[in-house]
Amino acid sequence: MNTAPTVSLVLGSGGARGFAHIGVIRWLESHGFAIRSVAGSSVGALIGGVYAAGELDAFENWVRALTQTDVLRLLDVAWSPSGLFKGERVMETLKELIGNRNIEDLPITFTAVASDVEAQKEVWLNRGPLFDAIRASIAVPTVFTPFAIAGRRLLDGGLVNPIPIAPTLGDGTDLTIAVDVAGPRGQAPAPAVAATAAVTPPPASTEPAGALAGYQSRIIAFIDEVQAKLGGEPQPAEQWGLGDVLQGSFETMQGIISRFKLAAYSPDAIVTIPRDAARSFEFYRADELIERGRREAELALARLIEPPPGAG
């Protein structure tokens, strides 16, 4: 192609696996694609919003340096029946890192999707403070408290639209590319490809396991219980605890909705990361998840840059 193909990028929900979105973006950038629009749910809204603000380099450097203790320190207990954590500490940290912006002022069109449970519909957030939209979109039920915007109490966008293609339908770009980071289990990693990102990862953490203490240790133990199925073999139903039921229910619902959405709004290409690539709260595994995204992008998208048969 003589000109850079323009892309509407759709980034799906899936917890820490969303760091694979960074790898997909890096692959697209390095192969000459021009991302003009981003829509995202939950962690997809977080990564997409940061990218649309032009601050992905700073964010990537930060997440590559996160340790398990760093992740725990970002969790501010809500002491509320509506959710474990307030999410204020995460948002304030991101604002310090990136700076707060209004969505309408971003150089790239951006939409975050959240869920209005009372009205039983999805909400497209494409104006107003960027981090308000992100906070609403990442409000995983029981994990983060709901977030109010314009009088609506909003929850995680993945409840109603885990892969939000619809907000991009009027973009007029050359391609719509979706990234599903909650795909079927058991997908073998794509072969390694040469890294092209300019961001240099920090050295591996040597933090002792004993650094976790007090209520943080209890919190991570609870989260590990909730997420136990994601990182390993599924447990027999008779061995399920409350966490297994909650997580399994959420995964099942998202999987069914995703299949319907993809059937209704078929993108030009889909990059898939299996849901057992990482547990939802393993945000300290950024290095390998970013690389996984880059490798899966190479596998799924290379055909988009191959010349047609007979082209000379």
PDB file of all heavy atoms in Angstrom, residues 165-201:
ATOM      1  N   ILE A 165     -17.541  -3.357  19.081  1.00  0.00           N
ATOM      2  CA  ILE A 165     -17.311  -2.980  17.690  1.00  0.00           C
ATOM      3  C   ILE A 165     -18.261  -1.871  17.245  1.00  0.00           C
ATOM      4  O   ILE A 165     -17.887  -0.983  16.479  1.00  0.00           O
ATOM      5  CB  ILE A 165     -17.465  -4.213  16.779  1.00  0.00           C
ATOM      6  CG1 ILE A 165     -16.396  -5.265  17.129  1.00  0.00           C
ATOM      7  CG2 ILE A 165     -17.351  -3.833  15.306  1.00  0.00           C
ATOM      8  CD1 ILE A 165     -16.587  -6.597  16.439  1.00  0.00           C
ATOM      9  N   ALA A 166     -19.489  -1.894  17.741  1.00  0.00           N
ATOM     10  CA  ALA A 166     -20.518  -0.963  17.265  1.00  0.00           C
ATOM     11  C   ALA A 166     -20.104   0.510  17.319  1.00  0.00           C
ATOM     12  O   ALA A 166     -20.416   1.255  16.384  1.00  0.00           O
ATOM     13  CB  ALA A 166     -21.821  -1.185  18.034  1.00  0.00           C
ATOM     14  N   PRO A 167     -19.384   0.966  18.368  1.00  0.00           N
ATOM     15  CA  PRO A 167     -19.016   2.386  18.378  1.00  0.00           C
ATOM     16  C   PRO A 167     -18.110   2.809  17.229  1.00  0.00           C
ATOM     17  O   PRO A 167     -17.962   4.011  16.971  1.00  0.00           O
ATOM     18  CB  PRO A 167     -18.290   2.546  19.729  1.00  0.00           C
ATOM     19  CG  PRO A 167     -18.844   1.470  20.584  1.00  0.00           C
ATOM     20  CD  PRO A 167     -19.072   0.326  19.651  1.00  0.00           C
ATOM     21  N   THR A 168     -17.507   1.859  16.521  1.00  0.00           N
ATOM     22  CA  THR A 168     -16.572   2.203  15.442  1.00  0.00           C
ATOM     23  C   THR A 168     -17.215   2.143  14.059  1.00  0.00           C
ATOM     24  O   THR A 168     -16.548   2.425  13.056  1.00  0.00           O
ATOM     25  CB  THR A 168     -15.360   1.244  15.445  1.00  0.00           C
ATOM     26  OG1 THR A 168     -15.784  -0.076  15.037  1.00  0.00           O
ATOM     27  CG2 THR A 168     -14.727   1.172  16.826  1.00  0.00           C
ATOM     28  N   LEU A 169     -18.494   1.780  13.974  1.00  0.00           N
ATOM     29  CA  LEU A 169     -19.095   1.491  12.673  1.00  0.00           C
ATOM     30  C   LEU A 169     -19.130   2.702  11.746  1.00  0.00           C
ATOM     31  O   LEU A 169     -19.113   2.553  10.533  1.00  0.00           O
ATOM     32  CB  LEU A 169     -20.507   0.925  12.857  1.00  0.00           C
ATOM     33  CG  LEU A 169     -20.583  -0.462  13.503  1.00  0.00           C
ATOM     34  CD1 LEU A 169     -22.033  -0.902  13.621  1.00  0.00           C
ATOM     35  CD2 LEU A 169     -19.780  -1.490  12.714  1.00  0.00           C
ATOM     36  N   GLY A 170     -19.198   3.899  12.285  1.00  0.00           N
ATOM     37  CA  GLY A 170     -19.250   5.079  11.439  1.00  0.00           C
ATOM     38  C   GLY A 170     -17.913   5.750  11.213  1.00  0.00           C
ATOM     39  O   GLY A 170     -17.862   6.886  10.721  1.00  0.00           O
ATOM     40  N   ASP A 171     -16.827   5.065  11.521  1.00  0.00           N
ATOM     41  CA  ASP A 171     -15.505   5.701  11.465  1.00  0.00           C
ATOM     42  C   ASP A 171     -15.014   6.006  10.059  1.00  0.00           C
ATOM     43  O   ASP A 171     -14.273   6.958   9.840  1.00  0.00           O
ATOM     44  CB  ASP A 171     -14.463   4.815  12.162  1.00  0.00           C
ATOM     45  CG  ASP A 171     -14.600   4.835  13.667  1.00  0.00           C
ATOM     46  OD1 ASP A 171     -15.298   5.712  14.190  1.00  0.00           O
ATOM     47  OD2 ASP A 171     -14.012   3.953  14.325  1.00  0.00           O
ATOM     48  N   GLY A 172     -15.336   5.172   9.090  1.00  0.00           N
ATOM     49  CA  GLY A 172     -14.845   5.377   7.734  1.00  0.00           C
ATOM     50  C   GLY A 172     -13.390   5.003   7.547  1.00  0.00           C
ATOM     51  O   GLY A 172     -12.736   5.478   6.614  1.00  0.00           O
ATOM     52  N   THR A 173     -12.850   4.157   8.423  1.00  0.00           N
ATOM     53  CA  THR A 173     -11.462   3.711   8.286  1.00  0.00           C
ATOM     54  C   THR A 173     -11.376   2.529   7.320  1.00  0.00           C
ATOM     55  O   THR A 173     -12.389   1.930   6.946  1.00  0.00           O
ATOM     56  CB  THR A 173     -10.894   3.304   9.659  1.00  0.00           C
ATOM     57  OG1 THR A 173     -11.789   2.376  10.292  1.00  0.00           O
ATOM     58  CG2 THR A 173     -10.726   4.512  10.562  1.00  0.00           C
ATOM     59  N   ASP A 174     -10.141   2.192   6.946  1.00  0.00           N
ATOM     60  CA  ASP A 174      -9.953   1.089   6.001  1.00  0.00           C
ATOM     61  C   ASP A 174     -10.242  -0.272   6.624  1.00  0.00           C
ATOM     62  O   ASP A 174     -10.735  -1.185   5.950  1.00  0.00           O
ATOM     63  CB  ASP A 174      -8.503   1.090   5.482  1.00  0.00           C
ATOM     64  CG  ASP A 174      -8.162   2.354   4.714  1.00  0.00           C
ATOM     65  OD1 ASP A 174      -9.021   2.820   3.942  1.00  0.00           O
ATOM     66  OD2 ASP A 174      -7.039   2.881   4.906  1.00  0.00           O
ATOM     67  N   LEU A 175      -9.905  -0.427   7.901  1.00  0.00           N
ATOM     68  CA  LEU A 175      -9.997  -1.722   8.562  1.00  0.00           C
ATOM     69  C   LEU A 175     -10.549  -1.573   9.972  1.00  0.00           C
ATOM     70  O   LEU A 175     -10.277  -0.574  10.650  1.00  0.00           O
ATOM     71  CB  LEU A 175      -8.617  -2.381   8.667  1.00  0.00           C
ATOM     72  CG  LEU A 175      -7.877  -2.706   7.372  1.00  0.00           C
ATOM     73  CD1 LEU A 175      -6.420  -3.032   7.682  1.00  0.00           C
ATOM     74  CD2 LEU A 175      -8.540  -3.890   6.665  1.00  0.00           C
ATOM     75  N   THR A 176     -11.298  -2.581  10.409  1.00  0.00           N
ATOM     76  CA  THR A 176     -11.679  -2.710  11.816  1.00  0.00           C
ATOM     77  C   THR A 176     -11.017  -3.963  12.360  1.00  0.00           C
ATOM     78  O   THR A 176     -11.234  -5.058  11.827  1.00  0.00           O
ATOM     79  CB  THR A 176     -13.202  -2.798  11.980  1.00  0.00           C
ATOM     80  OG1 THR A 176     -13.808  -1.608  11.484  1.00  0.00           O
ATOM     81  CG2 THR A 176     -13.571  -2.972  13.452  1.00  0.00           C
ATOM     82  N   ILE A 177     -10.192  -3.783  13.379  1.00  0.00           N
ATOM     83  CA  ILE A 177      -9.460  -4.893  13.981  1.00  0.00           C
ATOM     84  C   ILE A 177      -9.878  -5.013  15.439  1.00  0.00           C
ATOM     85  O   ILE A 177      -9.821  -4.036  16.191  1.00  0.00           O
ATOM     86  CB  ILE A 177      -7.943  -4.672  13.871  1.00  0.00           C
ATOM     87  CG1 ILE A 177      -7.519  -4.657  12.401  1.00  0.00           C
ATOM     88  CG2 ILE A 177      -7.180  -5.761  14.642  1.00  0.00           C
ATOM     89  CD1 ILE A 177      -6.060  -4.296  12.184  1.00  0.00           C
ATOM     90  N   ALA A 178     -10.315  -6.205  15.842  1.00  0.00           N
ATOM     91  CA  ALA A 178     -10.742  -6.461  17.210  1.00  0.00           C
ATOM     92  C   ALA A 178      -9.713  -7.332  17.924  1.00  0.00           C
ATOM     93  O   ALA A 178      -9.088  -8.206  17.311  1.00  0.00           O
ATOM     94  CB  ALA A 178     -12.106  -7.145  17.229  1.00  0.00           C
ATOM     95  N   VAL A 179      -9.550  -7.080  19.221  1.00  0.00           N
ATOM     96  CA  VAL A 179      -8.649  -7.880  20.044  1.00  0.00           C
ATOM     97  C   VAL A 179      -9.462  -8.483  21.188  1.00  0.00           C
ATOM     98  O   VAL A 179      -9.989  -7.759  22.043  1.00  0.00           O
ATOM     99  CB  VAL A 179      -7.485  -7.043  20.609  1.00  0.00           C
ATOM    100  CG1 VAL A 179      -6.489  -7.958  21.329  1.00  0.00           C
ATOM    101  CG2 VAL A 179      -6.790  -6.263  19.505  1.00  0.00           C
ATOM    102  N   ASP A 180      -9.578  -9.795  21.180  1.00  0.00           N
ATOM    103  CA  ASP A 180     -10.323 -10.541  22.191  1.00  0.00           C
ATOM    104  C   ASP A 180      -9.329 -11.159  23.165  1.00  0.00           C
ATOM    105  O   ASP A 180      -8.572 -12.053  22.788  1.00  0.00           O
ATOM    106  CB  ASP A 180     -11.156 -11.630  21.504  1.00  0.00           C
ATOM    107  CG  ASP A 180     -11.950 -12.486  22.481  1.00  0.00           C
ATOM    108  OD1 ASP A 180     -11.952 -12.179  23.682  1.00  0.00           O
ATOM    109  OD2 ASP A 180     -12.582 -13.457  22.020  1.00  0.00           O
ATOM    110  N   VAL A 181      -9.298 -10.663  24.407  1.00  0.00           N
ATOM    111  CA  VAL A 181      -8.347 -11.196  25.384  1.00  0.00           C
ATOM    112  C   VAL A 181      -9.031 -12.127  26.377  1.00  0.00           C
ATOM    113  O   VAL A 181      -8.541 -12.362  27.480  1.00  0.00           O
ATOM    114  CB  VAL A 181      -7.599 -10.062  26.124  1.00  0.00           C
ATOM    115  CG1 VAL A 181      -6.683  -9.323  25.184  1.00  0.00           C
ATOM    116  CG2 VAL A 181      -8.567  -9.097  26.809  1.00  0.00           C
ATOM    117  N   ALA A 182     -10.166 -12.685  25.977  1.00  0.00           N
ATOM    118  CA  ALA A 182     -10.857 -13.684  26.795  1.00  0.00           C
ATOM    119  C   ALA A 182     -11.292 -14.837  25.908  1.00  0.00           C
ATOM    120  O   ALA A 182     -12.408 -15.343  25.999  1.00  0.00           O
ATOM    121  CB  ALA A 182     -12.049 -13.064  27.505  1.00  0.00           C
ATOM    122  N   GLY A 183     -10.372 -15.251  25.033  1.00  0.00           N
ATOM    123  CA  GLY A 183     -10.677 -16.300  24.074  1.00  0.00           C
ATOM    124  C   GLY A 183     -10.674 -17.681  24.698  1.00  0.00           C
ATOM    125  O   GLY A 183     -10.434 -17.848  25.892  1.00  0.00           O
ATOM    126  N   PRO A 184     -10.937 -18.710  23.905  1.00  0.00           N
ATOM    127  CA  PRO A 184     -10.984 -20.083  24.414  1.00  0.00           C
ATOM    128  C   PRO A 184      -9.667 -20.507  25.043  1.00  0.00           C
ATOM    129  O   PRO A 184      -8.589 -20.061  24.636  1.00  0.00           O
ATOM    130  CB  PRO A 184     -11.285 -20.908  23.158  1.00  0.00           C
ATOM    131  CG  PRO A 184     -11.916 -19.947  22.203  1.00  0.00           C
ATOM    132  CD  PRO A 184     -11.265 -18.622  22.472  1.00  0.00           C
ATOM    133  N   ARG A 185      -9.766 -21.372  26.037  1.00  0.00           N
ATOM    134  CA  ARG A 185      -8.577 -21.893  26.703  1.00  0.00           C
ATOM    135  C   ARG A 185      -7.759 -22.765  25.763  1.00  0.00           C
ATOM    136  O   ARG A 185      -8.266 -23.287  24.776  1.00  0.00           O
ATOM    137  CB  ARG A 185      -8.974 -22.758  27.913  1.00  0.00           C
ATOM    138  CG  ARG A 185      -9.659 -22.032  29.040  1.00  0.00           C
ATOM    139  CD  ARG A 185     -10.115 -23.034  30.094  1.00  0.00           C
ATOM    140  NE  ARG A 185     -10.767 -22.379  31.202  1.00  0.00           N
ATOM    141  CZ  ARG A 185     -10.137 -21.914  32.267  1.00  0.00           C
ATOM    142  NH1 ARG A 185      -8.829 -22.040  32.353  1.00  0.00           N
ATOM    143  NH2 ARG A 185     -10.806 -21.335  33.246  1.00  0.00           N
ATOM    144  N   GLY A 186      -6.481 -22.916  26.113  1.00  0.00           N
ATOM    145  CA  GLY A 186      -5.660 -23.928  25.472  1.00  0.00           C
ATOM    146  C   GLY A 186      -5.013 -23.533  24.180  1.00  0.00           C
ATOM    147  O   GLY A 186      -4.351 -24.360  23.552  1.00  0.00           O
ATOM    148  N   GLN A 187      -5.162 -22.288  23.746  1.00  0.00           N
ATOM    149  CA  GLN A 187      -4.498 -21.846  22.521  1.00  0.00           C
ATOM    150  C   GLN A 187      -3.001 -21.736  22.762  1.00  0.00           C
ATOM    151  O   GLN A 187      -2.556 -21.005  23.635  1.00  0.00           O
ATOM    152  CB  GLN A 187      -5.062 -20.480  22.102  1.00  0.00           C
ATOM    153  CG  GLN A 187      -4.381 -19.850  20.904  1.00  0.00           C
ATOM    154  CD  GLN A 187      -4.995 -18.492  20.576  1.00  0.00           C
ATOM    155  OE1 GLN A 187      -6.208 -18.337  20.569  1.00  0.00           O
ATOM    156  NE2 GLN A 187      -4.144 -17.512  20.316  1.00  0.00           N
ATOM    157  N   ALA A 188      -2.212 -22.475  21.999  1.00  0.00           N
ATOM    158  CA  ALA A 188      -0.762 -22.422  22.167  1.00  0.00           C
ATOM    159  C   ALA A 188      -0.234 -21.060  21.766  1.00  0.00           C
ATOM    160  O   ALA A 188      -0.746 -20.440  20.831  1.00  0.00           O
ATOM    161  CB  ALA A 188      -0.093 -23.506  21.325  1.00  0.00           C
ATOM    162  N   PRO A 189       0.785 -20.550  22.471  1.00  0.00           N
ATOM    163  CA  PRO A 189       1.357 -19.247  22.101  1.00  0.00           C
ATOM    164  C   PRO A 189       1.881 -19.257  20.672  1.00  0.00           C
ATOM    165  O   PRO A 189       2.398 -20.268  20.189  1.00  0.00           O
ATOM    166  CB  PRO A 189       2.500 -19.063  23.108  1.00  0.00           C
ATOM    167  CG  PRO A 189       2.158 -19.952  24.254  1.00  0.00           C
ATOM    168  CD  PRO A 189       1.441 -21.129  23.652  1.00  0.00           C
ATOM    169  N   ALA A 190       1.735 -18.130  20.001  1.00  0.00           N
ATOM    170  CA  ALA A 190       2.287 -17.996  18.655  1.00  0.00           C
ATOM    171  C   ALA A 190       3.809 -18.045  18.729  1.00  0.00           C
ATOM    172  O   ALA A 190       4.406 -17.738  19.760  1.00  0.00           O
ATOM    173  CB  ALA A 190       1.828 -16.679  18.033  1.00  0.00           C
ATOM    174  N   PRO A 191       4.478 -18.435  17.637  1.00  0.00           N
ATOM    175  CA  PRO A 191       5.943 -18.440  17.634  1.00  0.00           C
ATOM    176  C   PRO A 191       6.504 -17.056  17.924  1.00  0.00           C
ATOM    177  O   PRO A 191       5.891 -16.045  17.602  1.00  0.00           O
ATOM    178  CB  PRO A 191       6.283 -18.896  16.205  1.00  0.00           C
ATOM    179  CG  PRO A 191       5.063 -19.575  15.704  1.00  0.00           C
ATOM    180  CD  PRO A 191       3.910 -18.896  16.367  1.00  0.00           C
ATOM    181  N   ALA A 192       7.670 -17.014  18.524  1.00  0.00           N
ATOM    182  CA  ALA A 192       8.308 -15.745  18.867  1.00  0.00           C
ATOM    183  C   ALA A 192       8.650 -14.962  17.605  1.00  0.00           C
ATOM    184  O   ALA A 192       9.007 -15.535  16.576  1.00  0.00           O
ATOM    185  CB  ALA A 192       9.569 -15.989  19.683  1.00  0.00           C
ATOM    186  N   VAL A 193       8.492 -13.641  17.685  1.00  0.00           N
ATOM    187  CA  VAL A 193       8.899 -12.759  16.598  1.00  0.00           C
ATOM    188  C   VAL A 193       9.842 -11.719  17.163  1.00  0.00           C
ATOM    189  O   VAL A 193       9.888 -11.488  18.361  1.00  0.00           O
ATOM    190  CB  VAL A 193       7.679 -12.060  15.951  1.00  0.00           C
ATOM    191  CG1 VAL A 193       6.769 -13.071  15.297  1.00  0.00           C
ATOM    192  CG2 VAL A 193       6.917 -11.232  16.971  1.00  0.00           C
ATOM    193  N   ALA A 194      10.588 -11.098  16.282  1.00  0.00           N
ATOM    194  CA  ALA A 194      11.537 -10.091  16.754  1.00  0.00           C
ATOM    195  C   ALA A 194      10.805  -8.898  17.339  1.00  0.00           C
ATOM    196  O   ALA A 194       9.844  -8.405  16.765  1.00  0.00           O
ATOM    197  CB  ALA A 194      12.409  -9.629  15.587  1.00  0.00           C
ATOM    198  N   ALA A 195      11.250  -8.430  18.491  1.00  0.00           N
ATOM    199  CA  ALA A 195      10.643  -7.264  19.132  1.00  0.00           C
ATOM    200  C   ALA A 195      11.028  -6.008  18.375  1.00  0.00           C
ATOM    201  O   ALA A 195      12.153  -5.853  17.929  1.00  0.00           O
ATOM    202  CB  ALA A 195      11.094  -7.173  20.586  1.00  0.00           C
ATOM    203  N   THR A 196      10.033  -5.091  18.261  1.00  0.00           N
ATOM    204  CA  THR A 196      10.312  -3.847  17.544  1.00  0.00           C
ATOM    205  C   THR A 196       9.995  -2.625  18.377  1.00  0.00           C
ATOM    206  O   THR A 196      10.205  -1.513  17.929  1.00  0.00           O
ATOM    207  CB  THR A 196       9.486  -3.790  16.249  1.00  0.00           C
ATOM    208  OG1 THR A 196       8.102  -3.946  16.576  1.00  0.00           O
ATOM    209  CG2 THR A 196       9.918  -4.871  15.284  1.00  0.00           C
ATOM    210  N   ALA A 197       9.457  -2.803  19.575  1.00  0.00           N
ATOM    211  CA  ALA A 197       9.088  -1.645  20.400  1.00  0.00           C
ATOM    212  C   ALA A 197      10.330  -0.932  20.896  1.00  0.00           C
ATOM    213  O   ALA A 197      11.372  -1.534  21.145  1.00  0.00           O
ATOM    214  CB  ALA A 197       8.246  -2.097  21.595  1.00  0.00           C
ATOM    215  N   ALA A 198      10.188   0.380  21.043  1.00  0.00           N
ATOM    216  CA  ALA A 198      11.306   1.183  21.513  1.00  0.00           C
ATOM    217  C   ALA A 198      11.416   1.200  23.034  1.00  0.00           C
ATOM    218  O   ALA A 198      12.384   1.684  23.582  1.00  0.00           O
ATOM    219  CB  ALA A 198      11.140   2.618  21.012  1.00  0.00           C
ATOM    220  N   VAL A 199      10.397   0.644  23.710  1.00  0.00           N
ATOM    221  CA  VAL A 199      10.386   0.680  25.164  1.00  0.00           C
ATOM    222  C   VAL A 199      11.253  -0.443  25.713  1.00  0.00           C
ATOM    223  O   VAL A 199      11.126  -1.596  25.309  1.00  0.00           O
ATOM    224  CB  VAL A 199       8.940   0.539  25.691  1.00  0.00           C
ATOM    225  CG1 VAL A 199       8.927   0.545  27.207  1.00  0.00           C
ATOM    226  CG2 VAL A 199       8.090   1.655  25.128  1.00  0.00           C
ATOM    227  N   THR A 200      12.146  -0.129  26.617  1.00  0.00           N
ATOM    228  CA  THR A 200      13.044  -1.112  27.205  1.00  0.00           C
ATOM    229  C   THR A 200      12.491  -1.583  28.536  1.00  0.00           C
ATOM    230  O   THR A 200      12.260  -0.771  29.435  1.00  0.00           O
ATOM    231  CB  THR A 200      14.439  -0.514  27.445  1.00  0.00           C
ATOM    232  OG1 THR A 200      14.940  -0.047  26.204  1.00  0.00           O
ATOM    233  CG2 THR A 200      15.374  -1.552  28.042  1.00  0.00           C
ATOM    234  N   PRO A 201      12.234  -2.892  28.702  1.00  0.00           N
ATOM    235  CA  PRO A 201      11.687  -3.366  29.965  1.00  0.00           C
ATOM    236  C   PRO A 201      12.706  -3.250  31.084  1.00  0.00           C
ATOM    237  O   PRO A 201      13.912  -3.381  30.851  1.00  0.00           O
ATOM    238  CB  PRO A 201      11.345  -4.834  29.671  1.00  0.00           C
ATOM    239  CG  PRO A 201      12.246  -5.223  28.549  1.00  0.00           C
ATOM    240  CD  PRO A 201      12.424  -3.981  27.720  1.00  0.00           C
TER     241      PRO A 201
END
